[in-house]
Amino acid sequence: MSAILQPAELPGATDTPVEGAFGLRLAVRRFLRNRLAVAGLCVVALFVLFCFVGPLVYSTDQTHTALQQVNLSPSGNHWLGTDAVGHDELGRLMYGGKVSLVVGLAAGVLATVIGTLWGATAGYAGGWIDAAMMRVVDAGIAIPALFILLVVSAITTPGLAGMILILGLVSWLVPSRLIRAETLSLKNRDYVLTLRAIGGTHARAILRHILPNSVSTIIVATTFQIADAILLVAYVSYLGLGVQPPSTDWGGMLSAGLNAAYSGYWWLILPPGLAIILVVWAFNAIGDGLRDAFDVRGRG
């Protein structure tokens, strides 16, 4: 008798967009056939190695100024030259990239977690609770996230943890709508209805069935949120309201090198600009690849 009441064995409990291990292997194969997605994954891996392992191989001082070697052009001693206060530009690119990637990854994950919980709760509850919660989302989407971020950054001058928290709190709205839509289609599945019929709680239905069955949507949303977070922190830092010196990120490097670029110091603006473009493109390509890989309708 007890075996009948186990939620893991409810009818239809394996009726998911990716059916167990076989579905996961199929999704991986579909992802690996997408050349742009694989290229994006390689670009992200290379930048992670460059930013986190590179400083161990190419050690530079990014804290103290060296005014005797400002704005030096690329050479054997400084592969990408130096900036206006004598910092090695290649080392600074690694240092700034570490900040950009950490903030982007952490803020993207935080935004997706908040949006997932909000959207799943709204979609599962339905009725006036769903309507009220989604009106909050609609009102938040009507206000540009960059505007909120600029205002808060100007008031508080946040550090690294503060930037992550602020980005996460202004970026969760879109994932919440995606997860709500997924929840609306899942909450009427047989295994969820059976769980409710035998007295299962709402929290158990959401955490044990709806969210695990929405994992593909959650993963795809996370990759796009990471790309958006990297862009947002670059925007804010470019305007001088991001992480404060001696810390920096790629947006801050762009801002610092803008005036120098007019004097012909191209190495101060081209490398961080290309890094932002490549990393954002890579995460978007990965997101597109994952979306296609998990798309049941596209499987043959």
Side-chain angles (χ1 to χ4, degrees), residues 106-152:
V109 170
L110 177 60
T112 305
V113 169
I114 296 172
T116 295
L117 295 176
W118 187 277
T121 303
Y124 184 81
W128 68 267
I129 296 177
D130 179 32
M133 294 179 71
M134 295 316 295
R135 294 300 75 75
V136 173
V137 172
D138 293 341
I141 290 177
I143 304 173
L146 181 58
F147 173 75
I148 300 174
L149 191 58
L150 287 174
V151 172
V152 176

Side-chain angles (χ1 to χ4, degrees), residues 61-74:
D61 184 357
Q62 295 298 322
T63 303
H64 302 95
T65 60
L67 299 180
Q68 71 276 12
Q69 54 181 25
V70 300
N71 293 330
L72 296 180
S73 59

Side-chain angles (χ1 to χ4, degrees), residues 254-280:
L254 277 177
S255 178
L258 183 60
N259 292 330
Y262 291 116
S263 301
Y265 304 142
W266 57 267
W267 57 88
L268 298 181
I269 193 168
L270 189 59
L274 287 176
I276 293 172
I277 293 171
L278 285 173
V279 169
V280 171

Side-chain angles (χ1 to χ4, degrees), residues 131-218:
M133 294 179 71
M134 295 316 295
R135 294 300 75 75
V136 173
V137 172
D138 293 341
I141 290 177
I143 304 173
L146 181 58
F147 173 75
I148 300 174
L149 191 58
L150 287 174
V151 172
V152 176
S153 297
I155 295 172
T156 63
T157 313
L160 194 63
M163 287 294 295
I164 293 172
L165 181 61
I166 294 170
L167 281 169
L169 291 177
V170 302
S171 304
W172 61 272
L173 302 169
V174 172
S176 71
R177 300 187 73 170
L178 295 175
I179 301 304
R180 172 185 175 268
E182 190 77 9
T183 302
L184 289 174
S185 68
L186 290 173
K187 72 176 185 178
N188 292 321
R189 296 288 181 91
D190 290 341
Y191 52 88
V192 177
L193 296 177
T194 304
L195 174 67
R196 296 296 303 130
I198 63 175
T201 63
H202 298 303
R204 188 176 184 87
I206 293 174
L207 297 177
R208 293 293 301 274
H209 294 287
I210 290 177
L211 290 186
N213 291 341
S214 304
V215 65
S216 59
T217 302
I218 295 171

